[in-house]
Amino acid sequence: MLRRTLLASLLTAPLLARAADEAIVEAARKEGALAMADSAPGENFQKFMAAFKAKYPFLEVANGFYSGPTGRVLARVNAEIDAKRLSFDVMLAANQAAWIDMTRQGKIARYESPEYPAYPSGAKMDGYWAAAQAIGVIPVYNKNMLAPADAPKTWLDLLAPRFAGRKMAIQNAAAGTQFNWSYLLTQRLGADYERKFAAQEPVVMATGAQMTDAVTRGEILLAAALDHWRAFTPEAKQAGLVAVFPTEGVPITTAPVGILAGAPHPNAARLFLDFMLSEEGQDLLDTKLYGMYSMRADVPPPQGEPTLSEIHPLLPTDMEAYLQASREFPQHFQGLFH
Amino acid sequence: MILGRRIRPEAMLGFVVTLCVATLVLPPLIAAAVAGSSAGFTPLHEPGIVANTLIFGAATTIAALLLGGGLALALAPGVPGRAMLERLVVMPLYLTPLLTAMGWNWLASPRSGLVNLVLHETLGSWATINIVSVPGVVAVSAFAFAPLPFLLISDALRALDPSLLESARVHGASAGRVFRRIVLPLLQPAALAAALLVCVEAVGMFSVPAVLGLPAGFNVATTQIFQLLENYPPRIAEATAWGVLLLGIAAVLTLAQAALLGRRSFVTVTGKAFRPAAGRPRAPRGRAAFALLYVALAAVLPLLALLWAASCEFVPARLGLMRFTFQHFAFVLNQYPKTWLAAGNSVLLGALTGCLVCGLGLGVSWVVLRGRGRGAQALDQLSMIPLSMPAMVFALGLLWVYVRVPLPIYGTALILLIAYSTHYLPYGVRTTSAALRQLHPELEEAARVAGASWMGAMRRITLPLLQPTIFAAWVLLFIMAMQEVSSSMLLYTSHSIVLSVAVFDLWENGNPSDVAALGFVQLAASFIVVSAVLALRQRRGLA
């Protein structure tokens, strides 16, 4: 599969290079390198970088590469910006509030990507960035431990007595995922929902991976706020994990991509941004490599997953309120769950 | 000093050592303190977490000290298999606490832990060992830290002058009385040093409270710092304020230690030599069994759980669903792009850290214990500061400093070396000074009187006598540097990634079975290097 993708991109490379602005390509050739800070997990991202490199072989992409969890990527990039010693060109980081904030602070470069029009509002800030990855935050159970008939169908089902008393798990406040879950469900179901949910005494865990392990083993009955793609990996399917897409809608957490102001290789960065947000880039990144959603309507969902519109995605509408809530979230969370 | 005279080498040593330590320690400390002061003192708003941190630190220290000290006393000469048991009891040091915690989570989480599945099957569902609890966090942490007091206290026992014990026995004291009146008081410095190390490491540890404490609703300073740093915007000021709390705890402990030890002399190795007299210990088999039980709980069982998790396709809900596979080992060895690069970096950084810290630690101890300068006490305290800085907060200070320093340090492996060397400097100082303290200066003085230069006395007398300690310290530092994760994760780049970070990244984002498999790679890397070094040393007849 990967080999075919690489082969295809090698064959189409000259065509696409022509499609991109020749001046940008020439300037990028002079820059010769791209430095990327990325929060997408694991080894799959290397495959995406390889596909980009195949398209623009004159760009060196390995030396400046940094990957880590979202919080660390943001801390690292901001530390460099504050010290006026930025080494990164492009950032992919799964925290939309941070993107809004950094854009206001002038830390994100303006660039009119030809790909922006393909993205819906709520998942982009025109002229600055757009969501490269979208993840549903959903309940997941193990069908070996919980009969599908007893499984929840809606968010309100999680308030049933059979899920009370440390039978469900959520992530702690450090996770952007958990903030989106909390904020968007409150928007959809009212502030009361989260309070009632907290009364069920869910277990708080440090990471999504830990939660997946716990629901796989049956240590908990339900992971109440899990990245949806974790229920669709081959191991998860074999273990019997089942994703629930509640009928009230699914909170979406996005990972935007954009160019940093003062990037050392701005033209290479433009090539990268255009590629990542293109139909081809999105199909590779989200559908093929990660099993996540693309916000583009022309990119199909990963195999075996419902389409984005079928799951009724919940996205923030008021960016100001969203940003404010994200600042208050640690205290808010602490008050409810500790 | 008279102008024009040659600068004395010991004065030179004092100057160079102080300069090195100050350069390493002060800039990040000041940066972190400045950042922390702008937040107000946040821990005051969270008294529950402060209390949790103190309880956790105190309980873990007591448990680890009893366990480690008990092991050191139990493994007296005459216990069957003593040499092997002494090596086995330090095995937990090779295991990152993150791995031990994961192993125990698989063994004894209340509903699905393997031990509990067996207990529920045989005794019924009332019989449950719940490791995801406060006692669980303390127990697993104490298992992980017990080798530190074991090493320090057994070193002190070995250095105990047997003539003191013999003369007490000759004068009619019972064995119990000798132990209470002579052995215990003489072990005090080692025990207190161990308590200090364990307590500060414990309150600064993230992984065990994160894996076993958070799900039990048990939040401590480090899990709080982690949340504050992973949030956006990273609440560095508040995180650092929590760091100041940990700094305060450590300062209080250091003062208490100094007050307890006072100005008493603990010199027991002087110019006169005695052969240790080996008595037969009571209940030798019981002692060996105690050591084996500890090894089983602290290393073998969690390792088996890790091995099991690494060889399952996924860690299953019922044993009937289990499928064996090598895919996770194959993945970390062949596919995971970070494994080999990280292994090389870790080994190199570990070895360099060991050398640097031993050298600098020895320099500091010598200046503090033998030097006559007024700055000696200040140098001692300066070199102990990193002990009391949680690595995460210290790393933030480092990052702040070296991003601004126009030297090629930021973004290279050098910043990791600086971080490790600074963080572990107190270990180098404590271990070398414990040994140096028991070496009476009369040995060096005798050499000087006999006409040796200062350098000559150091090279021919002091260093050879300290050599076993330095070697043991190097091994310990290597193993600890191999596992350092809290500061590494903020300072690495894709080129300087280390194994501990690769494991931690997988734990945060990846598949638990892959984490277990990579944990074995990390373990193997430490184990192979240490075994090779030990073998080399044995061949040269220095063991």
Side-chain angles (χ1 to χ4, degrees), chain B residues 430-517:
Chain B
R430 276 283 179 262
T431 41
T432 50
S433 75
L436 201 59
R437 201 186 286 273
Q438 291 179 324
L439 221 61
H440 200 284
E442 72 186 24
L443 297 174
E444 283 165 45
E445 282 155 15
R448 296 299 296 273
V449 169
S453 66
W454 178 81
M455 287 294 271
M458 281 299 273
R459 211 178 52 237
R460 308 275 298 269
I461 311 284
T462 312
L463 288 181
L465 278 170
L466 291 179
Q467 205 247 3
T469 310
I470 295 178
F471 180 76
W474 185 91
V475 169
L476 185 65
L477 288 164
F478 172 81
I479 293 167
M480 289 198 297
M482 286 285 291
Q483 294 169 9
E484 208 293 331
V485 64
S486 307
S487 67
S488 315
M489 67 188 191
L490 283 166
L491 302 172
Y492 74 96
T493 62
S494 54
H495 285 281
S496 59
I497 187 165
V498 289
L499 269 180
S500 54
V501 171
V503 170
F504 192 81
D505 275 0
L506 268 184
W507 174 71
E508 272 200 287
N509 259 328
N511 176 313
S513 296
D514 291 340
V515 184

Side-chain angles (χ1 to χ4, degrees), chain B residues 376-441:
Chain B
Q377 223 41 50
L379 176 62
D380 187 38
Q381 270 147 23
L382 191 64
S383 68
M384 284 300 128
I385 287 175
L387 192 64
S388 43
M389 299 257 309
M392 248 181 228
V393 175
F394 180 74
L396 280 170
L398 264 184
L399 201 59
W400 196 92
V401 172
Y402 286 104
V403 162
R404 285 163 177 81
V405 172
L407 292 172
I409 291 175
Y410 173 75
T412 67
L414 204 56
I415 196 168
L416 285 169
L417 185 62
I418 291 175
Y420 293 176
S421 301
T422 320
H423 184 64
Y424 292 119
L425 179 63
Y427 286 84
V429 175
R430 276 283 179 262
T431 41
T432 50
S433 75
L436 201 59
R437 201 186 286 273
Q438 291 179 324
L439 221 61
H440 200 284

Side-chain angles (χ1 to χ4, degrees), chain A residues 80-96:
Chain A
E80 288 198 3
I81 294 174
D82 294 344
K84 302 194 169 48
R85 205 172 162 187
L86 183 64
S87 69
F88 298 111
D89 302 304
V90 181
M91 178 171 79
L92 174 75
N95 182 333
Q96 196 161 321

Side-chain angles (χ1 to χ4, degrees), chain A residues 72 80 166 219 238 327, chain B residues 112 215 235 313 403 410 508:
Chain A
R72 251 186 275 156
E80 288 198 3
R166 307 182 62 75
E219 186 59 41
Q238 267 167 359
R327 292 208 177 101
Chain B
S112 62
R235 293 158 194 247
E313 210 159 296
V403 162
Y410 173 75
E508 272 200 287

Side-chain angles (χ1 to χ4, degrees), chain A residues 235-255:
Chain A
E235 292 91 7
K237 282 183 199 156
Q238 267 167 359
L241 295 197
V242 181
V244 177
F245 291 98
T247 50
E248 299 100 324
V250 170
I252 299 291
T253 191
T254 63

Side-chain angles (χ1 to χ4, degrees), chain A residues 58-86:
Chain A
F58 52 85
L59 288 176
E60 195 284 314
V61 296
N63 277 324
F65 184 79
Y66 175 81
S67 85
T70 305
R72 251 186 275 156
V73 168
L74 287 166
R76 181 77 177 253
V77 168
N78 278 287
E80 288 198 3
I81 294 174
D82 294 344
K84 302 194 169 48
R85 205 172 162 187
L86 183 64

Side-chain angles (χ1 to χ4, degrees), chain A residues 140-172:
Chain A
V140 171
Y141 67 94
N142 185 342
K143 67 179 179 210
N144 296 303
M145 305 305 289
L146 181 67
D150 293 332
K153 311 278 182 294
T154 66
W155 288 112
L156 288 176
D157 286 348
L158 300 191
L159 306 180
R162 65 179 185 280
F163 298 122
R166 307 182 62 75
K167 294 208 174 65
M168 298 188 286
I170 54 171
Q171 276 195 76
N172 74 6

Side-chain angles (χ1 to χ4, degrees), chain A residues 39 41-43 46 62-72 74-76 78-80 82-83 85 95 97-98 101-102 105 107 142 144-145 165-167 172-174 203-210 213 216-220 229-230 235 238-239 326-331 334 338, chain B residues 46 49 105-106 109-113 210-211 214-217 219 224 226-227 229-235 238 313-318 321 323 327-328 331 335-338 399 402-407 410-411 489-495 501 504-512:
Chain A
S39 77
E43 70 295 347
Q46 294 298 334
N63 277 324
F65 184 79
Y66 175 81
S67 85
T70 305
R72 251 186 275 156
L74 287 166
R76 181 77 177 253
N78 278 287
E80 288 198 3
D82 294 344
R85 205 172 162 187
N95 182 333
D101 198 38
M102 286 176 70
Q105 292 169 6
K107 291 175 173 175
N142 185 342
N144 296 303
M145 305 305 289
R166 307 182 62 75
K167 294 208 174 65
N172 74 6
V203 179
V204 178
M205 292 191 174
T207 70
Q210 216 182 347
D213 176 49
T216 305
R217 289 186 295 134
E219 186 59 41
I220 51 168
W229 60 272
R230 290 187 184 274
E235 292 91 7
Q238 267 167 359
S326 91
R327 292 208 177 101
E328 289 157 8
F329 184 59
Q331 279 78 14
Q334 190 88 14
H338 285 297
Chain B
E46 305 281 0
I49 298 175
N105 190 33
W106 282 318
S109 49
R111 289 200 191 101
S112 62
V211 175
L214 269 188
N219 231 338
Q224 196 66 11
F226 183 75
Q227 292 194 23
L229 291 182
E230 295 261 305
N231 264 301
Y232 181 86
R235 293 158 194 247
E238 285 168 59
E313 210 159 296
F314 51 87
V315 182
R318 281 197 301 264
L321 297 167
R323 276 184 249 184
Q327 74 185 52
H328 301 294
F331 170 75
Q335 277 169 281
Y336 190 54
K338 297 170 184 172
L399 201 59
Y402 286 104
V403 162
R404 285 163 177 81
V405 172
L407 292 172
Y410 173 75
M489 67 188 191
L490 283 166
L491 302 172
Y492 74 96
T493 62
S494 54
H495 285 281
V501 171
F504 192 81
D505 275 0
L506 268 184
W507 174 71
E508 272 200 287
N509 259 328
N511 176 313

